[in-house]
Amino acid sequence: MAAELVRGQNHPLSRIRIEIRISADAPVVAGATLADESGRVPGADAVAHPGAPTLPGIEVSRQAATEHRLAVDLDAMPETVHRVSVLIALPAAPGGPLRFGALAAPRAAVTGLDGTEVAGYTLTGLDAESAVVALELYRRQAAWKIRAVGQGYAEGLTGLLTDQGLPQAAELARGIEEAVARGLARSVPARTRDTDRSRRTAAPVTGSDLPGTTPATGSPYDVQAPGDGDSAVRPAPSDGPGGTEPTPGGGAGPSASGGPGVPADATSTGGPVDYTHPKRRQASRPPAPEAAAAPADGPVPPVAGDAVGWTMDERLYNQVWGMFEDLARSAAACRSAVDFAESRLEKELDQVLSDPRSRLGSVGEAAREAAQARQAQLVDQARAALDRDLAQLTAESEVVEPALPPAYARWDNPVWHGYRVPTETPMAVRLGDLHLPESAPLRIPMLVRLPLERGLWIDSGVPDASSFAFEETGELRHLALQTAVALAARLLAVHPAGEFGVQVVDPAGAGASAFAPLTGAGALDAPPATGAAGVAGVLGRLTERVDLVQMAVRGGASDALPPGLDTSRQLLIVNDFPHGFDDRAVTQLRYLADEGPDVGVHLLLVADREDAAAYGPLLDPLWRSLMRLTPVPDDHLADPWVGHAWTYEPCLVPPGSQVLQQVLTQVATARAKRM
């Protein structure tokens, strides 16, 4: 999936021609400054703004708008430009907002020309600022990267441009304001909310007894490794959901509409709160007939594909994102409310005990009972709200799951029975399911964008928190291999014939039975490599391939590659690591894990970290670079946004099912026809 950045985080940028999309709840001005290697902007002619919208390599909007698309061609950037800062500011319009704190958090996203999002950043935590540097594109060792900046300026454009090193910042800021004022009559108004299509629920529990919560906006679960091989699911930036600051009680802080945690579309007296993910609001589309027929005060029947996107696959993909975030917010709100109720009960009991007059006797007992009753009432209200949201999400899941395409579907989905080898690569693939303790029956698909940006590690060691009992370690290792085979088969099945290959390294031959579906169907590029010589041969060929493709890409000479070089994407499955690996092979494996994904070589490691303990910290970078998955349900995915521990569950083929063999047979047949 696309990376959702937090302030200060950077992300590699592999595309040359991109768009930077800005969205806000009110018209904003978008611009960019071009700085040299030291970060200094040489003059006003290095600033793209509505009065001078076009510079070499970049073009910005000519007017204020709620949505902007900045066109960027990095190849056309002058060689002296090393940093491109994307800025947004509020225009000085009569009656318009004077600070970003009065609006929902704006969002900036870097996309390809086809709209595929590479990285996004929600600018939370803004208050008195009226101008902000949102993103930064910068050169690093002849490559471009993205950095989420989020630096705001209460002095507006003048302060921002002064900080960029412009000597006549105030004069330039006035010129920009004048250009914006001339175009304000043409400014694009904020989009209206499509209430017919939104998920409607009763307002969250609010009032003096319990801080309310407000839904957050925009980010997928992007999985990263914070350290030691664990992964982290990042459903939103860690500095507060939806542009609000977290309160001590764990809920969202005051919103722009007045009242703690009340969204802008909810009245102070309580009303329906729109929990719809921002990417699923579609003002331009008419409501579905079933939605229009639903009662105005009841939940709208869920619809598969009820999200923005050019294709159904993209809409389903965005809808799954929204379901994930809705579940994260609802669970966080419930946990926050329960924690608040517990802390309030403890405080009230302390007050009772600290007063000698009410410590004993009927007065003290009545005070304790009243405090416990208030605590129970708050907990019941919070859990009732969570149950309501879970029921809505469950109903949506029951509609969405059957509509998912093969790349997103479980192996027991009937869509696999009508499988045909695709002609195009999908935008994402399902690696498993995610759920929380509060949502035991509800599973959210874990979708990861293609091509994979990181390798995968199937941990064959016994999870610390595993509730599964295995008679011997070999049973868990075999299950880990089955998980790897299911993932490899899925990746083969969702790519067009000949555009994705799988190679296997099995030094001891211990995985022969588990790899039988792949070898029996002829889906592998070559038989599994065994022994130290086989390990060295496969790693040597793939390392050479990575080197050649890297040199060709960096030199702009893709046509100079050797004629017989296979440039299709490759997945290398390594079993029983580090058995059969010498120091050179370990170094090559680390190289493939770091450099391979950018040039089409991906790693799938099946290993127990304890088996490689002899290498000590030497392999720590390898484990951290891989996305850790488990063959059994395990809550190892950390959520730094709201503190959730998400349980990952692999997607395995149902026992006795022949669907895997049928799919692999079709894949092998299609590959043979291309040869």
Side-chain angles (χ1 to χ4, degrees):
M1 291 188 171
E4 185 68 22
L5 306 180
V6 297
R7 183 173 298 172
Q9 184 180 357
N10 57 37
H11 187 75
L13 186 59
S14 58
R15 305 188 183 210
I16 300 301
R17 300 181 64 193
I18 58 173
E19 286 186 350
I20 299 175
R21 303 189 179 191
I22 307 292
S23 58
D25 274 4
V28 296
V29 181
T33 60
L34 309 185
D36 57 21
E37 193 169 5
S38 63
R40 190 181 68 86
V41 181
D45 56 351
V47 181
H49 57 83
T54 303
L55 291 179
I58 189 166
E59 183 176 359
V60 304
S61 303
R62 298 175 180 269
Q63 60 192 35
T66 57
E67 292 188 353
H68 293 268
R69 291 189 179 186
L70 283 64
V72 179
D73 186 347
L74 298 174
D75 271 350
M77 286 286 174
E79 293 183 359
T80 56
V81 174
H82 287 260
R83 184 180 302 173
V84 180
S85 298
V86 179
L87 58 93
I88 59 175
L90 293 170
L98 301 177
R99 59 189 183 91
F100 279 108
L103 303 171
R107 190 170 192 276
V110 178
T111 73
L113 298 183
D114 58 353
T116 302
E117 186 170 317
V118 177
Y121 172 44
T122 302
L123 285 76
T124 57
L126 298 177
D127 187 12
E129 298 88 345
S130 59
V132 59
V133 177
L135 294 175
E136 182 179 85
L137 309 178
Y138 65 97
R139 294 185 200 255
R140 179 63 56 85
Q141 297 177 349
W144 286 91
K145 289 189 175 183
I146 314 162
R147 178 183 289 121
V149 180
Q151 176 64 51
Y153 298 85
E155 303 86 358
L157 279 173
T158 301
L160 186 154
L161 296 173
T162 300
D163 196 41
Q164 294 274 324
L166 283 165
Q168 299 177 337
E171 181 179 346
L172 178 58
R174 285 194 298 270
I176 295 175
E177 290 289 353
E178 291 173 1
V180 172
R182 291 193 296 269
L184 278 179
R186 306 189 307 273
S187 63
V188 181
R191 291 176 298 175
T192 57
R193 190 186 306 272
D194 185 1
T195 54
D196 288 334
R197 296 290 294 184
S198 63
R199 178 184 298 125
R200 302 170 73 80
T201 68
V205 182
T206 57
S208 59
D209 289 338
L210 181 62
T213 58
T214 185
T217 58
S219 66
Y221 42 79
D222 179 35
V223 184
Q224 67 175 5
D228 297 335
D230 287 336
S231 298
V233 179
R234 292 190 288 112
S238 58
D239 50 351
T244 59
E245 296 294 335
T247 65
S255 68
S257 59
V262 181
D265 60 344
T267 63
S268 58
T269 58
V273 177
D274 183 3
Y275 280 98
T276 305
H277 185 274
K279 294 179 181 177
R280 292 196 269 171
R281 297 172 188 163
Q282 304 177 69
S284 61
R285 287 202 310 164
E290 59 268 30
D297 57 350
V300 175
V303 179
D306 186 15
V308 297
W310 293 101
T311 65
M312 176 58 76
D313 286 3
E314 186 178 356
R315 293 198 294 270
L316 289 169
Y317 174 69
N318 288 332
Q319 186 170 13
V320 170
W321 281 8
M323 293 168 61
F324 174 86
E325 293 178 0
D326 288 348
L327 177 56
R329 288 194 298 269
S330 297
C334 180
R335 294 180 185 182
S336 172
V338 171
D339 290 344
F340 173 80
E342 295 292 343
S343 63
R344 173 174 173 159
L345 173 63
E346 184 177 350
K347 181 179 179 180
E348 291 181 345
L349 292 180
D350 287 343
Q351 291 175 346
V352 171
L353 294 175
S354 64
D355 188 351
R357 295 171 298 176
S358 61
R359 186 177 305 161
L360 300 174
S362 58
V363 176
E365 186 65 26
R368 282 190 289 270
E369 290 179 356
Q372 291 169 349
R374 284 191 291 271
Q375 182 262 349
Q377 180 183 13
L378 294 177
V379 171
D380 290 344
Q381 289 175 338
R383 289 179 175 163
L386 176 63
D387 290 342
R388 179 191 62 231
D389 292 344
L390 287 178
Q392 180 71 17
L393 282 170
T394 300
E396 186 171 8
S397 177
E398 291 173 351
V399 172
V400 170
E401 278 287 354
L404 294 177
Y408 305 169
R410 294 193 186 102
W411 285 109
D412 58 358
N413 192 311
V415 71
W416 285 106
H417 295 290
Y419 168 78
R420 294 293 181 271
V421 177
T423 57
E424 294 182 356
T425 302
M427 65 186 302
V429 68
R430 185 175 190 158
L431 297 186
D433 294 330
L434 297 171
H435 66 89
L436 294 171
E438 295 91 342
S439 64
L442 177 63
R443 300 291 190 270
I444 304 295
M446 180 179 172
L447 303 183
V448 176
R449 287 294 292 265
L450 291 176
L452 296 175
E453 295 182 355
R454 297 170 58 196
L456 305 175
W457 165 31
I458 310 297
D459 191 352
S460 58
V462 178
D464 295 335
S466 176
S467 59
F468 293 82
F470 295 94
E471 297 181 358
E472 55 183 20
T473 308
E475 186 178 351
L476 187 58
R477 291 180 185 271
H478 185 73
L479 190 58
L481 279 175
Q482 288 182 329
T483 304
V485 169
L487 285 174
R490 181 182 292 269
L491 288 168
L492 277 169
V494 302
H495 283 84
E499 293 188 11
F500 194 88
V502 176
Q503 300 187 47
V504 174
V505 167
D506 187 17
S513 60
F515 291 127
L518 295 172
T519 56
L524 297 180
D525 288 357
T530 58
V535 172
V538 172
L539 294 180
R541 288 192 296 273
L542 289 177
T543 300
E544 181 183 12
R545 178 193 184 280
V546 170
D547 288 339
L548 290 172
V549 176
Q550 276 188 340
M551 288 188 292
V553 171
R554 291 173 180 172
S558 300
D559 54 349
L561 289 170
L565 184 68
D566 183 7
T567 57
S568 64
R569 293 192 171 272
Q570 297 289 320
L571 177 70
L572 174 62
I573 304 177
V574 178
N575 183 35
D576 259 356
F577 177 79
H579 179 78
F581 280 72
D582 55 19
D583 291 344
R584 176 180 172 81
V586 170
T587 302
Q588 289 177 321
L589 190 69
R590 286 184 54 185
Y591 176 74
L592 292 177
D594 293 337
E595 304 295 335
D598 288 339
V599 290
V601 176
H602 309 280
L603 185 62
L604 177 54
L605 195 66
V606 182
D608 181 356
R609 189 169 182 175
E610 293 300 321
D611 293 342
Y615 285 92
L618 176 66
L619 290 182
D620 284 350
L622 174 64
W623 304 119
R624 285 196 295 266
S625 68
L626 302 175
M627 183 190 302
R628 178 176 174 249
L629 305 176
T630 54
V632 295
D634 185 65
D635 59 350
H636 66 281
L637 293 180
D639 177 358
W641 173 37
V642 288
H644 293 332
W646 291 83
T647 297
Y648 167 81
E649 189 172 339
C651 283
L652 298 176
V653 180
S657 174
Q658 298 298 315
V659 65
L660 184 66
Q661 201 63 40
Q662 295 170 2
V663 169
L664 288 176
T665 300
Q666 288 198 43
V667 169
T669 302
R671 284 161 54 92
K673 290 180 179 179
R674 283 184 52 105
M675 294 180 179

